[in-house]
Amino acid sequence: MSELSVEHLLGIKYLKPNDIDVIFKTADHFKEVINRPIKKVPSLRDITIANLFFENSTRTKLSFELAEKRLSADVINFSAGQSSVKKGETLIDTVNNILAMKVDIVVMRHGNVGAGVFLSKHVDAKIINAGDGTHEHPTQALLDSYSIREKLGTVKGKKIVIIGDILHSRVALSNIFALQLQGAQVKVCGPTTLIPKHIASLGVTVETNLKKALEWCDVANVLRVQHERMDIKYFPSTREYTQLYGINQEILDNLGKKLVIMHPGPINRGVEITSDVADSNDSIILNQVENGVAVRMAVIYLLAQQIKR
Ligand code: CP
């Protein structure tokens, strides 16, 4: 099957293993395209895409916009801060007004869990979830898995530990779903207070000792502590967090083996990861960013193929 089984990309939990294969094979093609001298294809010349960002973003917003432009789509951008949302307009009214301008695909980041699902039931456009609160960030997980596949040849059978603030992380949840769909083993590591109580029901194991987690894994995906989503204190101090869960070169050197180091960004250097590790040869952080464009081109292209004219 070379088509997606879904009409929107709302979360990894709605995908089947074949969807991931199809997206990655399509992304392989687009990765070759974006490394050519002329990095653009005319595939989506008749498609209009709106990027609606109700929450801050650097990587995801720019990556989607570049992916859309590389596919020759028409692109409009919306940031909630400069919009009429501030005047009390509802999400559906905002989006329907944008769709009245003949938009085919909506890429949306929103602070509320399920915002993409809600929108997909109320508007006539393809919806791509670019992050909904603490829930899912499907294209981040796809580009993360794509980057592991590129570095290690396959995701199947690999041991991945996700380290840090799992509780507030949409990247963690989407990664857990994506990695398991591809046959990887997943462990989470962090302070007990930042690990969801029912995480074991997802088939994930928990390790609160960083050294043991690193000894177990092939890949360490390091997450930022999301202070902006915390209304109470989850650990005594940032200094203590860094002492217990920060990744530095000395810890890695003492393992006696090589690990692949990942981070979705934005990085808080010196907190969850030191600069020497983030910038080391074992880090694929910038490969993740590069692959994000090819993976998002693939997702947009595949959904656009379903649009009836
Ligand atoms: N990884 C990620 O989602 O980064 P942004 O918040 O900058 O988009």
Side-chain angles (χ1 to χ4, degrees):
M1 285 264 294
S2 58
E3 290 169 7
L4 293 180
S5 69
V6 290
E7 290 177 25
H8 309 274
L9 182 65
L10 301 173
I12 302 288
K13 72 169 166 240
Y14 303 108
L15 299 184
K16 297 185 165 56
N18 184 63
D19 293 318
I20 296 190
D21 273 358
V22 170
I23 291 168
F24 286 2
K25 283 186 183 133
T26 312
D28 287 341
H29 167 68
F30 286 130
K31 178 133 189 196
E32 188 265 313
V33 167
I34 62 179
N35 281 293
R36 288 180 196 161
I38 296 169
K39 302 172 171 52
K40 212 165 165 162
V41 285
S43 316
L44 300 195
R45 249 187 340 216
D46 55 346
I47 295 287
T48 303
I49 304 178
N51 298 316
L52 313 187
F53 278 73
F54 294 86
E55 264 195 351
N56 294 344
S57 170
T58 300
R59 275 146 294 271
T60 311
K61 190 162 180 279
L62 292 176
S63 179
F64 266 112
E65 188 173 345
L66 194 56
E68 292 151 6
K69 288 180 172 168
R70 296 274 192 249
L71 290 165
S72 303
D74 291 320
V75 179
I76 54 173
N77 288 306
F78 163 96
S79 294
Q82 294 113 44
S83 73
S84 291
V85 169
K86 294 270 175 225
K87 300 175 195 164
E89 192 171 48
T90 67
L91 175 61
I92 291 180
D93 279 343
T94 299
V95 175
N96 272 329
N97 275 272
I98 292 166
L99 294 184
M101 301 175 210
K102 310 290 176 216
V103 166
D104 303 290
I105 300 177
V106 171
V107 174
M108 185 171 75
R109 170 167 290 190
H110 201 283
N112 290 353
V113 169
V117 174
F118 175 74
L119 204 58
S120 71
K121 292 185 173 147
H122 290 91
V123 303
D124 185 20
K126 297 277 175 199
I127 310 294
I128 300 176
N129 178 5
D132 60 329
T134 56
H135 183 219
E136 279 227 38
H137 191 350
T139 56
Q140 180 69 47
L142 289 167
L143 73 89
D144 288 345
S145 286
Y146 186 85
S147 302
I148 295 170
R149 169 184 175 264
E150 183 177 72
K151 181 76 178 174
L152 299 179
T154 181
V155 175
K156 191 175 165 87
K158 299 299 177 207
K159 295 176 178 171
I160 323 289
V161 64
I162 307 172
I163 301 166
D165 182 0
I166 313 298
L167 185 67
H168 299 101
S169 176
R170 54 195 174 209
V171 174
L173 190 59
S174 286
N175 261 275
I176 289 167
F177 291 141
L179 292 165
Q180 289 179 337
L181 273 180
Q182 295 164 89
Q185 293 179 57
V186 188
K187 196 183 281 297
V188 295
C189 176
T192 315
T193 49
L194 290 179
I195 295 184
K197 282 196 172 47
H198 303 293
I199 193 103
S201 66
L202 298 178
V204 169
T205 53
V206 177
E207 176 56 70
T208 52
N209 181 299
L210 177 64
K211 185 168 174 287
K212 285 188 187 165
L214 294 175
E215 282 168 353
W216 172 83
C217 72
D218 303 305
V219 178
N221 194 353
V222 187
L223 305 181
R224 179 176 67 88
V225 175
Q226 301 198 28
H227 291 288
E228 73 277 17
R229 298 196 197 278
M230 295 182 182
D231 44 16
I232 55 167
K233 262 175 111 71
Y234 286 84
F235 47 84
S237 68
T238 300
R239 190 160 170 270
E240 185 176 312
Y241 180 87
T242 302
Q243 277 175 352
L244 290 174
Y245 294 102
I247 309 288
N248 59 50
Q249 198 57 53
E250 190 187 343
I251 295 172
L252 296 179
D253 289 345
N254 286 334
L255 293 174
K257 65 168 187 177
K258 287 275 188 199
L259 295 186
V260 177
I261 303 293
M262 304 176 70
H263 195 306
I267 295 175
N268 286 153
R269 287 175 183 261
V271 179
E272 71 274 9
I273 191 166
T274 53
S275 283
D276 52 357
V277 175
D279 303 333
S280 71
N281 287 336
D282 298 326
S283 160
I284 59 166
I285 293 171
L286 291 181
N287 305 75
Q288 291 172 258
V289 178
E290 181 188 343
N291 288 334
V293 177
V295 167
R296 290 182 173 114
M297 285 173 82
V299 168
I300 295 163
Y301 174 82
L302 289 163
L303 287 176
Q305 300 316 298
Q306 302 173 351
I307 296 172
K308 306 265 184 304
R309 294 282 170 195

